[in-house]
Amino acid sequence: MTVTIQDIHEATKRIKPYIHRTPVLTNESLNQKVGANVFMKCENLQKIGAFKFRGASNAVWSLTDEEAKRGVCTHSSGNHAQALALAAKMRGIPAYIVMPSNAPQVKKDAVAGYGGQITYCEPTLEARESNLEKVKNETGATMIHPYNNEKVIAGQGTATLELLEEIPNLDVIIAPIGGGGLISGTSIAATETKRGMRVIGAEPEMADDAFRSMKAGKIMPSMNPNSIADGLLSSLGSLTFPIIQERVEQIVTVSESAMIESMKFIWERAKIIIEPSSATVIAVLWEKKIDLAGLNVGVILSGGNVDLGKLYW
Amino acid sequence: MTVTIQDIHEATKRIKPYIHRTPVLTNESLNQKVGANVFMKCENLQKIGAFKFRGASNAVWSLTDEEAKRGVCTHSSGNHAQALALAAKMRGIPAYIVMPSNAPQVKKDAVAGYGGQITYCEPTLEARESNLEKVKNETGATMIHPYNNEKVIAGQGTATLELLEEIPNLDVIIAPIGGGGLISGTSIAATETKRGMRVIGAEPEMADDAFRSMKAGKIMPSMNPNSIADGLLSSLGSLTFPIIQERVEQIVTVSESAMIESMKFIWERAKIIIEPSSATVIAVLWEKKIDLAGLNVGVILSGGNVDLGKLYW
C-alpha cells in the first residue's frame, strides 16, 4: 500500500475548507545571496504554524462518523500534536496527545489551547509508544501517526500541488526530512505532476539518519540526534522510506550554523518567522553543497513554531 | 491639488511590475482575542519590508527621463529611505538620502545595501531639512518627500485597492498615522471604492500629534515623541492633513504596552514579523477602546523592519 497522486488530489478537496491556502513568497535579497530563484511555500503561515495541519486534517476528516466519535490519539513532540488537536477540535471530536515532558513550552501551551488532552511521558520513543498504547486501549481512539500514515502523507503533499499551481516552472523542490511524511507527500505530488521534477531532502548533519538510510538502503535509526531542528529528530517510517528511495534525488545535510544563519536571514529580510527545521531548506541553498545556480527552486518552509524568548543568535 | 482615486488606479498600473502583491492573512487566534474578523494586508512582506516602497516607486516611475537622470533625494529616518533607494536602483538612477545619525543600524545598512548615497545629520528636523537642501542644490535631484507628496500618497493607496479586491466586504480599515501618507492613500482608496467604508487611524499615545491635530482643527506639531513606534514620529503635512480631516472617521491612540503585546502576539501566532508602528493597528483592536465587535476589519500591517538583536519583551 502506498500513496498516489489521486490520494493527494482527494486530500486537497477534503481539507480545503479547513486549511489556509498559504502564500508563495519571493525575496530578492535571498535570490542574490544564493544565486537561484527561490519560491517559498509558507507553511509556517499555515494554521498551527506548520504543514502538519494538512496531514492531520486529512486524517481526521477521512474517519467515518463511528470512528471519529471515539476521537484520535498520537504521540508527538510538537507540531503534529497541535495539528491533530486543532483538526479534531474542528470536527468536534476528542484528541488524546502523548507528549515528551521536554517539548518546548510554546508547543505544550498550544496543544492545550486547541483542546488537546495531554499525557506527559519520558522523552524516549519507548515511553511515548507505551503511553500511547494505554491511551488508545482506554479510549478506543484512532491512532494517527505523525508521518507513517497514508492519509497524513497525502495531506502533506497538498502544499506542493498548490505551489506548482502557482509556479508551474519549478526545476526542483526542497523539503525537510524528519520522519519523512512531508518529503513523501512532496515527492509524489512533484514527480507525478511534472515529469522530471527534482526533489531534494534537507536534513541536519546532526540528525542525518535519512541520509545514512539512503546510503545503506535500509532504515537507519536516528541515534540521539543533537540538532536545533527539533522537528527533524524522528527516524524514517516503513511507509515513507520506500517513497523517498523511489522519488527523492538526494538528501543534503546542513550544518547547525548554516541553519541559524539562514533562519536569521529569513526573519530579517523576508519578515517571516521560521523554525530551525524550516531553515534546513534555505541552508541547502546557503551552503551551496550542490549546484542549483540559476534554477527555479521551490522550498517548503515547514513551520514557524519557536520560543520567542529563546533566540539562537 | 489633492489625490484622486484615479491617481491611485494609475499608480497601481505604474508600480505593478516592481512591487510585491502582498498576501492578506487571517488568524483565528487573533480573531478570538479581539472579537472581530481581521484581515491583515501584509505590507511588512512588501519589498524593503514596508508599504513605503509603493509610494516611492510611484514617485520614481512618474519622473520624466530628464528629471530621473539627475536622481532623487529625501530625508528619512528609515523605511522611506530604503524604499526610495531601491526604487531608484530599479530605475537605474541615483538616490541621495539624508538620515539622522541615530536611525536604527538595520535601516542604515539596508539603505546602503540598496545603493543609496547617505549623508548623516543630527536627529532634528532642522538639520535634516538643511542637509537635504544642500544635497538637492548640489545634484539637481528631485526631492521626494516621505509623505507630503501626491505621487507618494497615491502609491500608498494601492495596498488598500488590493485588499478590497480580495476582501470586498470590509466594514472598516485601520492604518497607522505618522506623517499621514499611508492613511491618506488608504482613506481615499477605501471611501471612493466603497461608499460608507469607515477608516480609522492608529497612533501611539506617546506620539499623538495627529489625534491632537484632529481635535484642534489644525496641524499640531509632533513634540519630542517618545514611542517605540519609530515610524510614526513625524508631524502631519499640508497635503495629508486635509485628506485625513475629510475622510478619516477618528484617530485612536494606543499605549506602548498594547503595542508590544500585540506585536508579540502577531509574531507568535501569525508567524510574521511586524515593527512597532505596524502593531498600532492591532493594538486598536487589542485595547477595545472603540467597539468593532463582529466586524470585518482590514488592517494595514505597515512594515517589519526591526533590529532582531533588540526585542521589546
Side-chain angles (χ1 to χ4, degrees):
Chain A
M1 219 166 115
T2 185
V3 178
T4 66
I5 185 72
Q6 188 54 33
D7 294 329
I8 304 178
H9 283 292
E10 281 167 19
T12 299
K13 265 177 272 173
R14 188 177 291 121
I15 68 180
K16 194 173 183 189
Y18 311 110
I19 66 162
H20 281 315
R21 167 126 194 175
T22 54
V24 177
L25 300 182
T26 60
N27 185 277
E28 193 48 36
S29 310
L30 177 64
N31 290 350
Q32 282 175 17
K33 176 79 192 170
V34 303
N37 304 312
V38 185
F39 298 89
M40 299 180 278
K41 178 64 173 168
C42 291
E43 288 300 299
N44 56 328
L45 307 183
Q46 187 52 265
K47 288 184 184 176
I48 74 99
F51 74 95
K52 295 268 184 182
F53 188 62
R54 293 177 183 267
S57 294
N58 193 42
V60 162
W61 291 97
S62 294
L63 296 174
T64 65
D65 287 347
E66 188 60 33
E67 291 166 335
K69 74 181 181 194
R70 290 192 300 270
V72 287
C73 64
T74 197
H75 68 76
S76 162
S77 62
N79 286 338
H80 176 64
Q82 294 182 50
L84 195 64
L86 180 58
K89 186 184 175 192
M90 287 171 94
R91 190 159 177 185
I93 64 175
Y96 307 98
I97 313 289
V98 175
M99 289 186 92
S101 50
N102 65 348
Q105 189 60 42
V106 66
K107 296 191 178 186
K108 293 177 186 171
D109 291 348
V111 170
Y114 294 129
Q117 299 178 38
I118 305 177
T119 304
Y120 291 110
C121 71
E122 289 302 299
T124 67
L125 188 59
E126 292 69 25
R128 287 160 66 149
E129 289 183 341
S130 64
N131 274 275
L132 180 58
E133 197 58 31
K134 191 158 162 264
V135 166
K136 193 179 152 188
N137 290 338
E138 284 170 8
T139 61
T142 302
M143 148 73 175
I144 310 292
H145 193 279
Y147 50 88
N148 214 40
N149 174 304
E150 286 92 351
K151 297 296 181 189
V152 170
I153 292 171
Q156 317 308 27
T158 60
T160 294
L161 289 190
E162 289 177 9
L163 172 58
L164 283 169
E165 194 178 292
E166 246 167 274
I167 317 289
N169 60 339
L170 292 182
D171 301 303
V172 51
I173 294 188
I174 311 176
I177 301 196
L182 177 61
I183 192 92
S184 293
T186 300
S187 64
I188 296 164
T191 56
E192 294 293 326
T193 302
K194 190 173 170 186
R195 199 153 300 278
M197 168 78 77
R198 299 169 60 189
V199 179
I200 291 171
E203 193 176 40
E205 284 168 7
M206 304 291 281
D208 68 344
D209 58 290
F211 179 81
R212 289 184 287 108
S213 300
M214 286 280 262
K215 291 256 177 203
K218 62 178 182 180
I219 297 176
M220 303 296 284
S222 181
M223 302 291 275
N224 301 316
N226 184 20
S227 170
I228 58 166
D230 60 331
L232 304 181
L233 308 183
S234 314
S235 304
L236 296 176
S238 56
L239 269 173
T240 57
F241 182 55
I243 298 171
I244 295 168
Q245 278 187 304
E246 183 189 345
R247 299 181 187 266
V248 175
E249 174 192 297
Q250 62 178 311
I251 294 170
V252 177
T253 58
V254 299
S255 68
E256 299 289 299
S257 63
M259 284 163 54
I260 293 171
E261 285 167 26
S262 304
M263 185 164 57
K264 190 173 184 211
F265 189 90
I266 293 296
W267 286 42
E268 262 179 358
R269 306 307 292 250
K271 313 298 177 190
I272 52 174
I273 290 179
I274 60 172
E275 59 186 69
S277 305
S278 292
T280 55
V281 298
I282 304 294
V284 166
L285 293 157
W286 194 269
E287 294 195 307
K288 297 183 182 171
K289 281 191 192 169
I290 58 171
D291 184 12
L292 299 170
L295 297 184
N296 294 331
V297 182
V299 298
I300 312 287
L301 296 182
S302 51
N305 289 325
V306 292
D307 250 329
L308 287 178
K310 180 184 133 191
L311 299 183
Y312 298 91
W313 46 83
Chain B
M1 219 167 116
T2 185
V3 178
T4 67
I5 186 73
Q6 188 54 34
D7 294 329
I8 304 179
H9 282 293
E10 281 167 18
T12 299
K13 265 177 270 173
R14 188 177 291 122
I15 68 180
K16 194 173 182 187
Y18 311 109
I19 65 161
H20 281 317
R21 167 125 192 175
T22 54
V24 177
L25 300 182
T26 60
N27 184 276
E28 193 48 37
S29 310
L30 176 63
N31 290 351
Q32 281 175 17
K33 177 79 191 168
V34 303
N37 304 310
V38 185
F39 299 88
M40 298 181 278
K41 178 64 172 169
C42 292
E43 288 300 299
N44 55 329
L45 307 181
Q46 187 52 265
K47 288 184 185 174
I48 74 98
F51 74 94
K52 295 268 184 183
F53 187 63
R54 294 178 181 266
S57 293
N58 193 43
V60 162
W61 292 97
S62 294
L63 296 175
T64 65
D65 287 346
E66 187 59 36
E67 291 166 335
K69 73 180 185 196
R70 290 192 300 270
V72 287
C73 63
T74 197
H75 66 75
S76 163
S77 62
N79 286 338
H80 176 64
Q82 295 181 50
L84 195 64
L86 179 59
K89 187 183 176 193
M90 289 173 94
R91 190 158 177 185
I93 64 175
Y96 307 98
I97 313 289
V98 175
M99 288 185 92
S101 50
N102 65 347
Q105 189 60 41
V106 66
K107 297 191 177 184
K108 293 177 187 171
D109 292 348
V111 170
Y114 294 128
Q117 299 177 39
I118 306 178
T119 304
Y120 290 110
C121 71
E122 290 301 299
T124 66
L125 188 59
E126 291 69 27
R128 287 161 66 150
E129 289 184 342
S130 63
N131 274 275
L132 179 58
E133 198 58 30
K134 193 159 159 263
V135 166
K136 194 179 152 191
N137 290 338
E138 284 169 8
T139 61
T142 302
M143 147 75 173
I144 310 291
H145 192 279
Y147 51 88
N148 214 40
N149 174 305
E150 286 92 351
K151 298 295 182 190
V152 169
I153 292 171
Q156 317 306 28
T158 60
T160 294
L161 289 190
E162 289 177 10
L163 172 58
L164 283 169
E165 194 177 293
E166 247 167 273
I167 317 290
N169 61 339
L170 291 182
D171 300 303
V172 51
I173 295 187
I174 310 177
I177 301 196
L182 177 61
I183 193 92
S184 294
T186 300
S187 64
I188 296 165
T191 56
E192 294 294 326
T193 302
K194 191 174 170 187
R195 198 153 300 278
M197 167 79 77
R198 298 169 60 189
V199 179
I200 291 171
E203 194 176 40
E205 284 168 7
M206 304 291 282
D208 67 343
D209 58 290
F211 179 81
R212 289 184 287 108
S213 299
M214 287 281 263
K215 290 254 177 206
K218 61 178 182 182
I219 298 177
M220 303 296 284
S222 183
M223 302 291 274
N224 302 314
N226 184 22
S227 169
I228 58 167
D230 61 332
L232 305 182
L233 307 183
S234 314
S235 304
L236 296 176
S238 56
L239 269 173
T240 57
F241 182 54
I243 297 171
I244 295 168
Q245 279 187 304
E246 182 189 345
R247 297 180 188 267
V248 174
E249 174 192 298
Q250 62 178 310
I251 294 171
V252 177
T253 58
V254 298
S255 67
E256 299 290 299
S257 64
M259 284 163 55
I260 292 171
E261 286 167 26
S262 303
M263 185 164 59
K264 190 173 184 211
F265 189 90
I266 293 297
W267 286 42
E268 263 179 358
R269 307 307 293 251
K271 313 299 177 191
I272 53 174
I273 291 180
I274 60 172
E275 58 186 68
S277 305
S278 293
T280 55
V281 297
I282 304 294
V284 166
L285 293 157
W286 194 270
E287 293 195 308
K288 299 185 182 170
K289 280 191 193 167
I290 57 170
D291 183 14
L292 299 171
L295 297 183
N296 293 331
V297 182
V299 298
I300 312 288
L301 296 183
S302 50
N305 290 324
V306 291
D307 250 329
L308 287 179
K310 180 185 133 190
L311 298 183
Y312 297 92
W313 46 82

